[in-house]
Amino acid sequence: MINFEHRTGPVFSPEPTYPQRDVPDWFQDAKLGIFVHWGLYSVPAWASLPEEGVQPDDEYAMHSYAEWYANTVRIPHSPAHIRHNKKYGIGTSYEDFAHMWHAEKFDPRAMVDLFVEAGARYLVPTTKHHDGFCLWNTDTTNFSAAQRGPQRDIIQEFHDSAREAKLKFGVYFSGAHDWHVAHFPPIESDRDLFVYRRNDPEFARYAADQLRELIDRFHPDILWNDIEWPDSGKSNEDYALASLFRKYFSTVPDGVVNDRWGIPYHGYLTREYSIIDSVIPEPWEATRGLGHSFGYNTNEDENNTLSAPALIDLLVDTVSKNGNLLINVGPRADGTIPELQQNSLRGLGQWLKTNGEAIYGTRVFTDADSRKSSQRYTRNDGELFIFVDPSQRSDVEIPSGCPSDASVRWLGNSSPAERNGLAVQIPDSLRSGSLAVCAVRMK
């Protein structure tokens, strides 16, 4: 997957000055957020499943992201193109889905309640994906959920429910891609991704006006931009990012931005569907769908969806390497969340009820003796937490750098821990569950 923190746009003179902000503690404490990809693409709700041996020239035609349907369907002879014509007819365009999307079962409070049950501490819904369809009641275009399709201000409803539930609230925004107001060929390569996009001042103002609306109306704790920003909007003009960031941080002093802007400044790093081998020193966030797609894909089943144990393992692995996990939910067009996704989220939430103290508010443990492949670690001011898979091992090994007389306990088990030197036996009551956690008192 493409990383963004080193991508920058043209050089301007004088060089824009960006407000410098550290990543706030609340973000590093939160550890778990929920991404929601929902939009017109949820009507067809279809993408190819990943296949071995797909040639680079065909990767975008075989795209496994359902939220990219508006692009994939335009690639001649792609599976999405062929299926679309059979199912909807040759004369049906992607934007015709604005008449088919009704969101008739959307209950933002119930959805947010599920996210809270899963243990999430922040919520980031898509406000506008690359298709240009806005999910809030914007003054910039009538191509929105408030004026078409659902005729609801979906982002306002998400915002109100999240704030009521005491979740931090962020906004995803597609900065450099808006296929509704662009006339490029379909994107068929990573090179096209950065070539087929508008960089003119008019579009930069349009994007800035939309982002300014989101800041003014929702005071988002996170600005989550995707795939850069129009190059004309990286200058010193009043509609450019330097000015927008000054406005944002004056409005939300404890806010944070990600790294996908194409400028020399970023808040935290993002890693999408990536395997991270070691600790990343900077604050970062892993993101992926519960399946292979962010938007709901009817082509996926339980074999393509993270189970609760796999989701728990992903969270622990990410947090142990200094990251947050932004796990994505893809609702159906009607506003309901597929049962497979619900089950995984609820399983994660149940595990966090017992083991959350080893996740929330912790920091990375980087002792040189600690990076054992079968154990992972977090720490807080007083304790070291050791995660182990009870199906693979019968005990945990305390790192040799810990105090020799350190007390130990198992989360979710009140019996005294059985210790033999540096080895601590896993209790029988934890043998049949997901990851078990041993807490070692460091001082």
Side-chain angles (χ1 to χ4, degrees):
M1 285 294 178
I2 299 169
N3 294 334
F4 289 87
E5 65 266 26
H6 299 303
R7 294 192 63 87
T8 56
V11 175
F12 291 90
S13 182
E15 188 175 335
T17 301
Y18 297 96
Q20 301 296 309
R21 291 289 194 280
D22 293 332
V23 175
D25 286 341
W26 74 258
F27 180 82
Q28 296 183 75
D29 290 343
K31 304 306 182 187
L32 179 63
I34 298 290
F35 225 174
V36 180
H37 276 63
W38 195 34
L40 299 186
Y41 44 82
S42 305
V43 175
W46 194 90
S48 298
L49 294 177
E51 294 182 11
E52 296 289 339
V54 174
Q55 298 301 308
D57 288 348
D58 294 326
E59 286 179 351
Y60 278 76
M62 302 291 292
H63 214 307
S64 59
Y65 284 4
E67 68 277 9
W68 270 70
Y69 189 94
N71 184 78
T72 314
V73 76
R74 296 174 59 217
I75 300 175
H77 309 302
S78 70
H81 178 87
I82 294 169
R83 180 181 181 275
H84 179 89
N85 287 344
K86 287 181 178 179
K87 185 174 179 64
Y88 300 106
I90 293 175
T92 302
S93 73
Y94 175 81
E95 294 192 354
D96 287 333
F97 291 134
H99 304 296
M100 305 179 197
W101 185 32
H102 306 300
E104 64 273 16
K105 296 182 181 179
F106 175 45
D107 182 343
R109 179 60 185 272
M111 200 178 285
V112 167
D113 285 347
L114 173 63
F115 302 155
V116 171
E117 183 181 350
R121 296 294 173 87
Y122 58 100
L123 170 63
V124 183
T126 50
T127 64
K128 183 186 78 167
H129 209 266
H130 312 321
D131 59 6
F133 193 74
C134 298
L135 270 63
W136 78 101
N137 190 16
T138 176
D139 294 331
T140 63
T141 178
N142 62 7
F143 194 54
S144 74
Q147 299 187 52
R148 308 278 292 275
Q151 297 192 359
R152 295 171 68 171
D153 190 325
I154 289 168
I155 299 305
Q156 185 71 60
E157 294 185 45
F158 267 134
H159 168 272
D160 293 349
S161 295
R163 295 299 191 199
E164 185 177 354
K166 308 301 181 187
L167 292 181
K168 294 288 188 178
F169 183 77
V171 293
Y172 166 103
F173 184 75
S174 175
H177 282 282
D178 187 324
W179 300 326
H180 178 66
V181 295
H183 304 284
F184 294 109
I187 295 166
E188 298 190 60
S189 68
D190 288 348
R191 177 182 178 275
D192 291 349
L193 187 66
F194 298 99
V195 172
Y196 293 158
R197 61 195 187 106
R198 289 183 60 176
N199 289 302
D200 56 282
E202 182 182 9
F203 179 66
R205 288 189 179 92
Y206 179 74
D209 287 344
Q210 292 185 333
L211 190 62
R212 191 176 292 110
E213 279 187 349
L214 294 171
I215 293 169
D216 286 339
R217 296 186 189 183
F218 305 115
H219 293 196
D221 301 293
I222 302 171
L223 290 185
W224 212 106
N225 186 65
D226 203 6
I227 313 184
E228 282 218 25
W229 196 259
D231 282 349
S232 294
K234 301 174 184 177
S235 64
N236 284 290
E237 300 292 340
D238 60 0
Y239 59 84
L241 280 179
S243 176
L244 281 170
F245 280 7
R246 285 192 291 270
K247 172 181 177 54
Y248 173 60
F249 287 118
S250 67
T251 303
V252 189
D254 208 25
V256 66
V257 302
N258 68 348
D259 60 347
R260 301 187 175 199
W261 304 87
I263 57 174
Y265 169 77
H266 64 260
Y268 62 86
L269 307 181
T270 57
R271 295 292 183 265
E272 182 175 330
Y273 279 94
S274 299
I275 297 173
I276 305 302
D277 295 324
S278 58
V279 171
I280 297 178
E282 294 182 65
W284 66 284
E285 180 183 69
T287 188
R288 59 158 294 165
L290 283 163
H292 301 293
S293 173
F294 286 91
Y296 176 50
N297 183 5
T298 55
N299 217 9
E300 295 182 344
D301 57 19
E302 64 273 8
N303 296 315
N304 310 112
T305 304
L306 288 177
S307 64
L311 182 55
I312 292 164
D313 191 74
L314 175 61
L315 174 65
V316 169
D317 189 64
T318 301
V319 173
S320 74
K321 293 169 182 172
N322 200 40
N324 284 13
L325 175 62
L326 183 64
I327 191 67
N328 181 79
V329 168
R332 301 182 183 96
D334 65 6
T336 58
I337 296 176
E339 288 71 18
L340 281 173
Q341 297 183 35
Q342 291 189 45
N343 293 341
S344 296
L345 292 177
R346 289 196 169 98
L348 173 61
Q350 282 296 115
W351 184 87
L352 282 168
K353 285 180 180 178
T354 299
N355 301 287
E357 64 178 291
I359 297 294
Y360 303 118
T362 61
R363 294 296 183 268
V364 67
F365 181 65
T366 55
D367 190 310
D369 186 42
S370 72
R371 309 316 298 179
K372 301 179 187 300
S373 60
S374 60
Q375 296 183 174
R376 281 163 291 182
Y377 305 83
T378 61
R379 64 171 178 83
N380 61 19
D381 290 337
E383 288 185 297
L384 171 68
F385 298 101
I386 308 174
F387 301 81
V388 64
D389 184 346
S391 69
Q392 301 297 317
R393 293 186 54 166
S394 61
D395 60 15
V396 298
E397 183 178 349
I398 301 173
S400 58
C402 295
S404 58
D405 60 348
S407 63
V408 297
R409 63 187 176 95
W410 287 96
L411 274 58
N413 182 274
S414 58
S415 301
E418 296 182 23
R419 177 175 175 179
N420 182 12
L422 294 178
V424 185
Q425 194 76 14
I426 299 174
D428 290 342
S429 64
L430 300 179
R431 291 285 179 87
S432 61
S434 296
L435 297 181
V437 185
C438 181
V440 181
R441 176 60 58 181
M442 300 292 287
K443 61 181 180 180

